[in-house]
Amino acid sequence: MTPLDALDARLLLVLIDEPRATVLALSQRLGVARNTVQARLARLEQRGALTSLERCVDPAALGYPLTAHITAAVTQRRLAEVADALAEIPEVIEVHGISGNLDLLIRVVARDAEDLYRVAGIILATPGIERTSTALVMRNLVTHRLRPLLDRANQPGQPR
Amino acid sequence: MTPLDALDARLLLVLIDEPRATVLALSQRLGVARNTVQARLARLEQRGALTSLERCVDPAALGYPLTAHITAAVTQRRLAEVADALAEIPEVIEVHGISGNLDLLIRVVARDAEDLYRVAGIILATPGIERTSTALVMRNLVTHRLRPLLDRANQPGQPR
DNA sequence: TGGATCTTGCGCACTTTGCTCAAGCCGTAC
DNA sequence: GTACGGCTTGAGCAAAGTGCGCAAGATCCA
């Protein structure tokens, strides 16, 4: 799979700025033909550069203003089982298997402190989960962003 | 701010399923008038339920297939300064201030192991950062999802 | 009973889309 | 040199969708 080129990166940047922009508007903004933008968009989509819109939904708007990261150790051989169990919990929005011995990083959201406590309890009670450690997100210092990387993909110089 | 109602949730669900769907198609899918969908969409956007498209871009497609979570302790009173410094690093895509004494959770992406090592080095060298601990994401057990919560927002019963 | 809010169906001008086609550009391989 | 594939471009056209306004119900609440 060919990596993104500069035009792809520019396209994404403009798209991020104006998500509602029409293909026509994008092409004018980028200074390329409409057909080109259409082809690029199709290619981006087909190669999966744009994942589900699900990521854009703000949990806070759904009534879940609290986010927490729970790290957990799981007993050997039960990883798949645990992963399935976690997937059943709606408040669990992301689970990563991380380096370290069978460790999980679980991201959860909650309605309030009490709700979080409840969810954490469910997770800890899950068979196969050993210990957990909960870290509540107090503040967003840098909100999820990829713009700097996209900007860099535009620049001709410094490949690193 | 009024929370999302069932129709909003259904709208989001359909939208997630077919991001490219036109307003007309959405209205038919939901069984409501086109004007209603248009109004709802405008309201959702205006209330910020849909955040930047930036979150949908897959770092892997940009050439950064590796993700890692770095937890760091910062020295007192230098939190703002550290946050600014981290924001300058393109590979840093998210920073959370978490509970625990001045702890940060930093999410970074990298081109490869060596690149990650470099980035981790930069972060550790940042003035104000005390200790760091890097956890490489080996596997995605549950990819970011909000569907279960949206589904629940549809259901009449069980408020919890 | 009255008002605020939301939904609905309708209409219309205008824009955008989806698709096709031929032509041009460019780097690579032969 | 020359042929090839891949990408871009401009043009065109029918069909579809958008943006917007408006008046007529629905609810809901006080």
Side-chain angles (χ1 to χ4, degrees), chain A residues 1-5 7-13 15 37-51, chain B residues 20 57 61-62:
Chain A
M1 178 198 310
T2 15
L4 301 192
D5 66 5
L7 182 53
D8 286 321
R10 267 199 300 151
L11 175 54
L12 285 176
L13 280 169
L15 203 52
V37 172
Q38 228 147 6
R40 293 294 188 137
L41 278 181
R43 214 175 54 181
L44 282 178
E45 182 174 26
Q46 172 261 349
R47 96 172 31 155
L50 255 10
T51 65
Chain B
R20 296 228 164 284
V57 179
L62 259 63

Side-chain angles (χ1 to χ4, degrees), chain B residues 32-36 40:
Chain B
V32 296
R34 179 169 74 99
N35 277 351
T36 306
R40 294 293 189 137

Side-chain angles (χ1 to χ4, degrees), chain B residues 109-132:
Chain B
V109 294
R111 292 191 177 284
D112 51 44
E114 188 186 354
D115 193 33
L116 176 59
Y117 189 76
R118 180 184 61 85
V119 175
I122 296 178
I123 292 176
L124 188 49
T126 301
I129 294 234
E130 288 285 321
R131 307 171 300 284
T132 65

Side-chain angles (χ1 to χ4, degrees), chain B residues 3-31:
Chain B
L4 300 193
D5 66 5
L7 182 52
D8 286 321
R10 266 200 300 153
L11 175 54
L12 285 177
L13 280 169
V14 176
L15 202 52
I16 286 169
D17 268 345
E18 314 175 34
R20 296 228 164 284
T22 65
V23 173
L24 200 57
L26 292 175
S27 71
Q28 289 164 354
R29 199 102 140 59
L30 292 170

Side-chain angles (χ1 to χ4, degrees), chain A residues 70-72 79 95-106, chain B residues 67-69 134-141:
Chain A
I70 301 180
T71 55
L79 212 152
V95 178
H96 285 139
I98 59 178
S99 57
N101 248 351
L102 295 165
D103 279 346
L104 296 183
L105 181 58
I106 309 166
Chain B
T67 302
H69 296 266
T134 302
L136 181 63
V137 171
M138 318 286 294
R139 207 166 144 202
N140 254 304
L141 274 345

Side-chain angles (χ1 to χ4, degrees), chain B residues 67-89:
Chain B
T67 302
H69 296 266
I70 301 180
T71 54
V74 315
T75 57
Q76 298 182 26
R77 304 248 153 229
R78 305 189 76 168
L79 211 153
E81 177 191 344
V82 168
D84 288 346
L86 291 176
E88 291 296 314
I89 307 172

